[in-house]
Amino acid sequence: MGLKVVSSAIISFSLFLLLASTAKAQSKGVFDVTKYGSDKDITEALTNAWKDACASTNPSKVLIPSGTYSLRKLTLAGPCKAAIELQVDGMLKAPVDPNQFSGGHWVNFGHVDKFTLSGSGTFDGQGKAAWSKSTCQKDKDCDSLPMNLRFDFITNALVRDITTLDSKNFHVNVLGCKNLTFQHFTVSAPGESVNTDGIHVGQSTGIYIIDSKIGTGDDCISVGDGTEELHITGVTCGPGHGISVGSLGKYPNEKPVSGIFVKNCTLSDTTNGVRIKSWPALYGGVASNMHFEDIVMNNVQNPVIIDQVYCPWNQCSLKAPSKVKISGVSFKNIRGTSATPVVVQIACSSGFPCEKVELADIKVAYSGPDGPAKSQCSNVKPIISGTMSAPGC
Ligand SMILES: *[C@@H]1O[C@H](CO)[C@@H](O)[C@H](O)[C@H]1NC(C)=O
Ligand SMILES: *[C@@H]1O[C@H](CO)[C@@H](O)[C@H](O)[C@H]1NC(C)=O
């Protein structure tokens, strides 16, 4: 009896110690940045909260509660000891002055496994002043402005609900990632913002972009070399330049693009719908197994386009054909309205004609003064089935 009392006293005392120490480290693995002595600028607090959470051997969460905070350039790096979540419910503001970044990024997540970025919060890049000074329209090199969010070598991860607003450069860059999902994700910037791609994916496998809303000044989603198994489903785009594979063939040794599935998406008032583009002359590459299905176009300028003579701002020679080999492409059940009479344009390379291109049920209407709607094809013999509202291919 006496022994029992003593041992239960020891048990409850050690339980008390355990609870006391976790309470100090924050309750139930939640690391709240506002408990880290921060005021308005949470850069230091977030860095320290992340460090503690990342060292935790149990799953942990870093919390940025609702409120408005400023945040300077920051890298949140792994590897971490267990699954880690960053929940952002606040409004985070980047420095307005691009010179405070020394290029690259605003917030960078790197080398984290089992990562979740969640919350109702916003990353506001405050890009307006930077766009007007941007030289991207003229220069080949315009890497100097920071992207809002960079995901480098992130695996088994989920990004949900978060909003990225007015980035100075691309909103999101995905590099070297595996099994990363974006869900209920929002990108927002004006149509006239410069080089503000929504999500750029490169050198990554198993990326899912689901039920998300992207309105911006450049590509809604752009797909770079080395992308495999990219699934884009239930995404609405506009304004912007549409969903784009490429541009490819601009640099030597680009890795193949393969397994791109775009399904149940809506594009409104964009300059392109679904597009594959490569530079003429220059370098070789391979893009195959790309499928676009159940897509609605609302007043889109180039609804369906393969462009192997992509050469913006005359940065290239049009004398030699593209060396990028495109094959295994299907466009199926694409409907809605076009802002121009050319509804389907498939301009393949004369050096490497496209192979196994399939068009089925492309019902996109044009009702403007330059009609009727038509399709244009070169260096390709597409397999056509179903209803085609625009003849020509
Ligand atoms: C992909 O990541 C999610 C976490 O977001 C995880 O639940 C799932 O098991 C992972 N899939 C594979 C095949 O590892
Ligand atoms: C298609 O996408 C919309 C969002 O744009 C979503 O509400 C709807 O459930 C999706 N339908 C299917 C069949 O996945």
Side-chain angles (χ1 to χ4, degrees), residues 265-348:
C265 293
T266 300
L267 295 105
S268 301
D269 304 307
T270 50
T271 55
N272 301 282
V274 286
R275 172 165 66 155
I276 300 167
K277 58 183 175 176
S278 76
W279 294 74
L282 302 177
Y283 303 100
V286 177
S288 62
N289 190 19
M290 297 175 281
H291 306 283
F292 305 87
E293 195 172 346
D294 304 334
I295 315 274
V296 175
M297 305 283 176
N298 295 316
N299 191 41
V300 169
Q301 287 176 35
N302 301 293
V304 172
I305 177 168
I306 296 180
D307 179 7
Q308 293 210 263
V309 287
Y310 179 72
C311 183
W313 319 303
N314 296 315
Q315 286 176 6
C316 59
S317 158
L318 284 167
K319 283 186 200 125
S322 174
K323 294 172 188 153
V324 175
K325 181 105 206 60
I326 293 174
S327 68
V329 184
S330 68
F331 300 98
K332 290 183 181 171
N333 186 25
I334 298 188
R335 56 196 195 276
T337 57
S338 175
T340 70
V342 182
V343 168
V344 174
Q345 179 164 36
I346 302 191
C348 294

Side-chain angles (χ1 to χ4, degrees), residues 113-116 155-159 178-181 206 208:
D113 183 40
K114 300 196 181 79
F115 173 57
T116 302
T155 48
N156 304 310
L158 174 63
V159 177
K178 262 199 183 123
N179 184 21
L180 166 60
T181 299
Y208 300 79

Side-chain angles (χ1 to χ4, degrees), residues 130-145:
W131 304 326
S132 60
K133 291 189 199 111
S134 173
T135 55
C136 292
Q137 305 276 15
K138 291 169 246 148
D139 288 3
K140 289 187 192 185
D141 255 330
C142 62
D143 299 333
S144 57
L145 292 172

Side-chain angles (χ1 to χ4, degrees), residues 185 187-189 197-199 209 211-222 232-244 262-275 295-300:
F185 185 69
V187 174
S188 176
D197 290 32
I199 302 177
I209 304 172
D211 299 337
S212 294
K213 192 169 180 297
I214 302 177
T216 191
D218 208 302
D219 291 339
C220 172
I221 296 167
S222 56
I232 301 170
T233 311
V235 173
T236 63
C237 293
H241 297 179
I243 296 173
S244 195
V262 180
K263 212 172 168 203
N264 185 31
C265 293
T266 300
L267 295 105
S268 301
D269 304 307
T270 50
T271 55
N272 301 282
V274 286
R275 172 165 66 155
I295 315 274
V296 175
M297 305 283 176
N298 295 316
N299 191 41
V300 169

